[in-house]
Amino acid sequence: MTSYRPLHEGWALSGGDVDSVAATVPGCVHTDLLAAGLIDDPYLDENEKKLAWIGRTDWVYDTVFQHEPGAGRTDLVCAGLDTVATVVLNGVELGRTANQHRGYRFDVRDALRAGENQLRIHFTSAYSYAEAHRDRLGDRPNAYPEPFNFIRKTACNFGWDWGPTLVTAGIWQEIGLQNWSLARLAEVRPQVTVAGGVGTVEVRVRLERETPGPVTLTATVAGERVETTTEGDEAVLSLTVRDPELWWPIGYGAQPRYDLEVTASGPDGDLDSWSRKVGFRDVRIDTSPDAGGSAFTLLVNDIPIFVRGVNWIPDDVFANRVTRERLAARFAQAIDANVNYLRIWGGGRYESEDFYDLADELGLMVGQDFLFACAAYPEEEPFASELAAEAREQVVRLASHPSLMMWTGNNENIWGHEDWDWKAALGDRSWGAGYYFDVLPGIVAAEDPSRPYWPGSPYSGRDDKHPNDPAYGTMHIWDVWNTDDYTKYREYRPRFVAEFGYQAPPAYATLRRAISDEPLTHDSPGMQAHQKAADGDAKLQRGLDAHLPAPRDFDDWHYLTQLNQARALSLGIEHFRSLRPHCMGTIMWQLNDCWPVTSWAAVDGDGRKKPLWYALLRSFAPRLLTVQPRDGGPALVAVNDSLEPWTVSAVVSRRTLDGLVLAEMTVDATVAPNSATTLPLSAEVGEAADATREVLTAVAGSHRAWWFFAEDKDIAWPPAKFDAVFEAVGPDARVKITAHHILRDLTLSPDRLDPATEVDEAGVTLLPGESATFIIRGGAGLEPTALTTRPVLRSVNDLT
């Protein structure tokens, strides 16, 4: 039987002017230096800039361990080395690595000693390696002045428009010794399919052998068992399961999983074993041509699913900090915001087993980009071989997870080649097309044929169409934010939007933890260090100028920029959802952050929800009532993503800001499952006599939609007058606000008083006489007056 011994203890780190400090494995240089007190926290103030030397320094990890020789073979198994490493055991070089995204295994029998052994791993600077290959092969265009496309390493370590430049090194995943004899399970790749009520589990096994001889392979799942004996290196075991329970995405059914176990046995007993939970479900993408171009519809078990998605980036620059518990908390935030899909972006990393196991368990669908982003990538060696090995390893590793819906070849590289002036700069040099259109689809077809592959995000699916054509395939929308107002979202009729977003700063408590500027202003040094987008503040200001009253101070600026982000994404999401079934997916950029930063995230780098999160909760609701412009006037659209009909009886009212009803009508409809219905409004209700003093409301049960005829900056908002009642309930607090006048986008930020508190709602609009009750977790000890006055309690009204 195989045995495994982790080698995670007793490591020391040295390099540059650092003689020797204790190292944590798995971990990285930055966290080790931080723990030793040798560097300041790179996430605080402007410290990031002071630490660039770490990425340009060579580092050495050393440990000494005891070993008692045993029978058979012993391997050093390195699940993940970051990135350019030379591995030496007792002075014997075992091998060299140059890919963070794959594992390595070394036969160490000839180097191991009885008793004390010294293991040393030398990490060469990622910059030195990448720049040498760039100089050798010729530069390639990329979105940032960093050589991340010349090394198989997490691209955003080199900085992004939301991320710091912190180029890591270290033993970032498990490392240990495995002892085995005769043979071991080198690879187990199950393909789980279901059709006509019959589930099939085809298990392909590859053996690595130490000696020849018969090996018996056994696979069991759902009470079924199959066995075969082979003297070769590969075998296929197939199991049939009658009427398996189907795995469904969240909101469409349950997520049953079955234990799949594979064992290898020799004449003297068990040799090795492997186990995984699997789920039975079918997934495909419908790209049928139609009058509007061609569809891009995800179907699970033959049910079309509207993707209510978020883009996912690494949840921390330093991977060892991302625990299962942290992932579970982030996934809960996604699910609570009615998200059903996570797209793992191509500039990050292939996520952990914990990530995928949680997604399987919770019913969150996942799309996995191969790791290419925003750059032209060389196809010469050593990159061609490294990429093929990496992709094959990751496809085999992840193929059994029912949550994984699709593979995507890259992020924005096909689009970049077409539109970002790459062609002249490239000349005849390679840029990655061979990967996206040949190598990667070939690997997916061979190793994971039951799951769809799409060459890029965005990609139209056709050579004769622009890669970002809204009518075909997937698209990204970035003229909004970069150059245009967010109302431009309504000009698009996409089939599937895989990226779009709008910036805002993080929560106030997050800012204050990370930035010590006095005074804190939008352009103070620490704030600027945590704004990575080109002309980011100017773009934020452009958005404010178009819609909202001018901020008087930082508190206004903070509230209004967060509000504008929430409004931008709500407008885009609700517009795209109203186009169903023409549009069948909207994946906003982005759910999370990897550090405290002004960004497009809904949950900031400290895990706090921004007002955008609360907007997603409403705009991603499975049943949505939204007012949309149609034929020059507003119309009511009811969107039903559920599997049951929705009977809607909505009262639609045009009223003054004082609440006086000027015109009213009732619209009735039964909205079929998985559909959207547009309900026209009469001119009397839909046309304002005075745009700056009137508002449209639509109410159907607990659902409410708003339509304002003018921008906030042009509306004569009445003063923010209300009654506030505070009540402590155990450790929590309730604050009931009753409006004297209309209150626009009422938002409580209790983190300004206590960073540990969190409110259950934000961005609430109340008509005169209406009330809203905010629940503040952990807020029982807050001072009521401070909690219910500016800058903690805000509305647009208090700017007038």
Side-chain angles (χ1 to χ4, degrees):
M1 190 68 176
T2 64
S3 63
Y4 178 79
R5 174 191 172 190
L7 296 177
H8 294 166
E9 305 300 325
W11 287 91
L13 170 69
S14 59
D17 295 330
V18 179
D19 289 334
S20 181
V21 297
T24 298
V25 171
C28 75
V29 171
H30 289 78
T31 50
D32 289 334
L33 296 177
L34 185 60
L38 297 180
I39 61 172
D40 293 325
D41 189 332
Y43 290 2
L44 305 185
D45 293 317
E46 300 178 81
N47 293 340
E48 171 211 352
K49 300 175 184 177
K50 305 172 187 176
L51 303 179
W53 62 273
I54 296 174
R56 293 193 173 275
T57 301
D58 292 353
W59 297 96
V60 176
Y61 280 78
D62 278 293
T63 192
V64 173
F65 63 92
Q66 298 292 319
H67 178 70
E68 296 298 328
R73 171 172 161 175
T74 301
D75 292 343
L76 177 67
V77 183
C78 306
L81 300 175
D82 177 16
T83 292
V84 185
T86 302
V87 184
V88 178
L89 178 61
N90 296 325
V92 177
E93 183 177 312
L94 302 178
R96 301 188 178 200
T97 77
N99 192 332
Q100 181 185 0
H101 306 307
R102 56 177 290 211
Y104 294 86
R105 176 182 289 265
F106 306 102
D107 181 349
V108 296
R109 285 172 299 181
D110 294 339
L112 269 178
R113 301 171 182 161
E116 186 173 277
N117 291 261
Q118 183 184 50
L119 178 59
R120 169 172 289 191
I121 303 180
H122 180 280
F123 290 93
T124 301
S125 161
Y127 277 111
S128 298
Y129 176 92
E131 289 168 351
H133 281 294
R134 180 191 62 191
D135 295 344
R136 178 178 67 89
L137 296 171
D139 202 1
R140 306 290 199 280
N142 100 31
Y144 303 99
E146 296 278 344
F148 64 82
N149 47 337
F150 289 91
I151 186 170
R152 295 309 300 157
K153 173 174 171 55
T154 301
C156 61
N157 276 181
F158 291 86
W160 222 260
D161 55 5
W162 40 257
T165 303
L166 295 168
V167 177
T168 57
I171 306 168
W172 79 284
Q173 295 195 67
E174 290 188 350
I175 186 170
L177 295 173
Q178 184 181 38
N179 182 259
W180 56 281
S181 58
L182 180 56
R184 70 176 186 89
L185 295 170
E187 186 176 283
V188 179
R189 190 225 65 180
Q191 280 284 289
V192 183
T193 57
V194 61
V198 178
T200 301
V201 182
E202 183 184 270
V203 185
R204 190 177 69 189
V205 177
R206 183 173 63 82
L207 297 170
E208 184 176 14
R209 288 182 171 272
E210 172 62 12
T211 56
V215 174
T216 299
L217 299 169
T218 305
T220 59
V221 69
E224 302 295 326
R225 184 179 186 275
V226 66
E227 179 180 293
T228 188
T229 299
T230 180
E231 297 202 24
D233 296 336
E234 294 191 4
V236 177
L237 299 91
S238 187
L239 302 100
T240 299
V241 179
R242 299 284 175 182
D243 298 318
E245 293 185 77
L246 297 182
W247 184 97
W248 288 95
I250 189 169
Y252 291 85
Q255 293 80 42
R257 293 186 291 165
Y258 295 82
D259 292 320
L260 172 63
E261 297 184 355
V262 178
T263 60
S265 303
D268 298 325
D270 289 346
L271 300 171
D272 202 356
S273 64
W274 178 99
S275 64
R276 181 72 57 81
K277 289 184 180 294
V278 298
F280 290 91
R281 61 97 184 95
D282 175 69
V283 59
R284 60 190 175 91
I285 297 173
D286 178 11
T287 57
S288 303
D290 57 26
S294 65
F296 195 91
T297 302
L298 180 69
L299 293 100
V300 180
N301 302 328
D302 289 326
I303 298 296
I305 308 292
F306 191 98
V307 169
R308 303 190 303 267
V310 289
N311 281 273
W312 175 272
I313 65 170
D315 205 51
D316 201 293
V317 174
F318 310 124
N320 54 301
R321 291 177 171 176
V322 184
T323 62
R324 185 180 180 93
E325 292 72 24
R326 179 163 166 172
L327 289 171
R330 205 67 69 242
F331 283 19
Q333 289 172 321
I335 290 169
D336 289 348
N338 292 310
V339 167
N340 63 13
Y341 191 101
L342 306 173
R343 175 195 169 219
I344 302 175
W345 167 75
R349 48 183 175 253
Y350 301 103
E351 284 294 341
S352 65
E353 285 302 312
D354 283 336
F355 184 102
Y356 270 96
D357 185 59
L358 284 167
D360 292 345
E361 176 186 314
L362 297 169
L364 278 169
M365 299 178 287
V366 179
Q368 174 72 63
D369 283 11
F370 286 102
L371 300 187
F372 301 92
C374 302
Y377 283 78
E379 298 175 43
E380 293 85 351
E381 293 295 345
F383 299 108
S385 295
E386 283 293 343
L387 178 277
E390 163 198 318
R392 189 179 183 281
E393 177 179 317
Q394 297 296 341
V395 170
V396 170
R397 178 174 75 90
L398 298 174
S400 63
H401 287 285
S403 58
L404 180 57
M405 297 288 111
M406 65 180 293
W407 296 97
T408 300
N410 71 85
N411 176 79
E412 298 190 340
N413 295 348
I414 301 171
W415 182 23
H417 183 260
E418 185 65 26
D419 274 2
W420 299 351
D421 299 323
W422 288 8
K423 294 178 182 178
L426 279 168
D428 59 359
R429 283 173 289 173
S430 62
W431 59 275
Y435 297 144
Y436 317 137
F437 296 107
D438 183 17
V439 176
L440 292 174
I443 289 171
V444 172
E447 310 297 345
D448 193 14
S450 70
R451 187 172 280 112
Y453 169 84
W454 197 248
S457 185
Y459 185 59
S460 63
R462 295 171 49 158
D463 292 340
D464 62 336
K465 297 295 180 183
H466 189 280
N468 202 34
D469 190 321
Y472 298 85
T474 61
M475 79 168 303
H476 293 187
I477 300 176
W478 284 115
D479 51 1
V480 173
W481 170 249
N482 280 320
T483 56
D484 296 328
D485 185 62
Y486 61 73
T487 55
K488 189 178 180 180
Y489 285 136
R490 292 188 177 127
E491 297 179 20
Y492 286 99
R493 287 180 54 82
R495 309 312 299 259
F496 191 106
V497 192
E499 278 190 25
F500 65 107
Y502 209 86
Q503 261 204 355
Y508 188 82
T510 300
L511 285 177
R512 267 310 181 196
R513 185 191 70 81
I515 299 171
S516 61
D517 296 351
E518 292 294 349
L520 183 65
T521 67
H522 74 88
D523 57 356
S524 59
M527 285 293 291
Q528 288 299 293
H530 291 76
Q531 167 59 280
K532 296 293 186 177
D535 299 321
D537 279 3
K539 293 170 184 176
L540 287 172
Q541 189 60 50
R542 186 190 71 229
L544 296 183
D545 291 344
H547 297 281
L548 291 160
R552 299 159 297 188
D553 55 22
F554 180 81
D555 290 332
D556 282 359
W557 180 88
H558 185 259
Y559 165 67
L560 292 174
T561 51
Q562 287 197 328
L563 173 60
N564 224 28
Q565 179 190 40
R567 288 189 184 178
L569 270 295
S570 285
L571 184 145
I573 289 168
E574 294 185 17
H575 165 65
F576 301 139
R577 292 188 68 193
S578 78
L579 300 178
R580 178 178 183 151
H582 179 86
C583 175
M584 284 300 291
T586 173
I587 307 179
M588 58 79 63
W589 184 274
Q590 69 224 58
L591 175 67
N592 60 327
D593 269 327
C594 62
W595 75 314
V597 64
T598 297
S599 84
W600 297 262
V603 176
D604 73 23
D606 281 5
R608 293 190 176 91
K609 300 168 183 174
K610 293 156 71 169
L612 170 58
W613 183 91
Y614 300 91
L616 295 181
L617 171 67
R618 292 186 290 271
S619 296
F620 270 159
R623 289 178 170 176
L624 171 70
L625 206 62
T626 179
V627 180
Q628 295 292 323
R630 295 289 189 269
D631 299 323
L636 187 64
V637 182
V639 182
N640 182 17
D641 283 356
S642 77
L643 296 175
E644 300 295 329
W646 181 22
T647 300
V648 176
S649 182
V651 177
V652 185
S653 308
R654 179 170 60 87
R655 60 181 76 211
T656 66
L657 296 182
D658 294 329
L660 177 67
V661 175
L662 302 174
E664 191 168 84
M665 65 184 294
T666 300
V667 292
D668 297 301
T670 297
V671 187
N674 285 316
S675 70
T677 298
T678 299
L679 306 168
L681 302 180
S682 67
E684 183 182 20
V685 169
E687 295 179 6
D690 185 344
T692 65
R693 298 182 181 274
E694 296 177 19
V695 60
L696 191 71
T697 63
V699 180
S702 61
H703 300 272
R704 173 182 268 183
W706 297 86
W707 178 266
F708 289 87
F709 296 97
E711 298 294 347
D712 290 68
K713 64 186 179 65
D714 300 321
I715 294 175
W717 293 108
K721 291 186 178 180
F722 53 86
D723 294 325
V725 177
F726 176 93
E727 178 186 13
V729 183
D732 302 330
R734 292 180 182 173
V735 177
K736 183 178 180 181
I737 304 296
T738 302
H740 291 192
H741 305 297
I742 187 171
L743 294 177
R744 178 74 161 129
D745 281 305
L746 193 65
T747 299
L748 252 178
S749 300
D751 64 286
R752 282 178 168 264
L753 303 177
D754 181 350
T757 59
E758 181 180 275
V759 69
D760 70 327
E761 182 60 286
V764 177
T765 297
L766 298 176
L767 291 169
E770 291 184 335
S771 298
T773 299
F774 297 88
I775 299 172
I776 304 167
R777 285 182 282 278
L782 298 179
E783 203 282 311
T785 301
L787 188 62
T788 55
T789 54
R790 184 183 184 274
V792 180
L793 182 63
R794 300 302 308 264
S795 67
V796 175
N797 304 62
D798 67 36
L799 282 99
T800 60

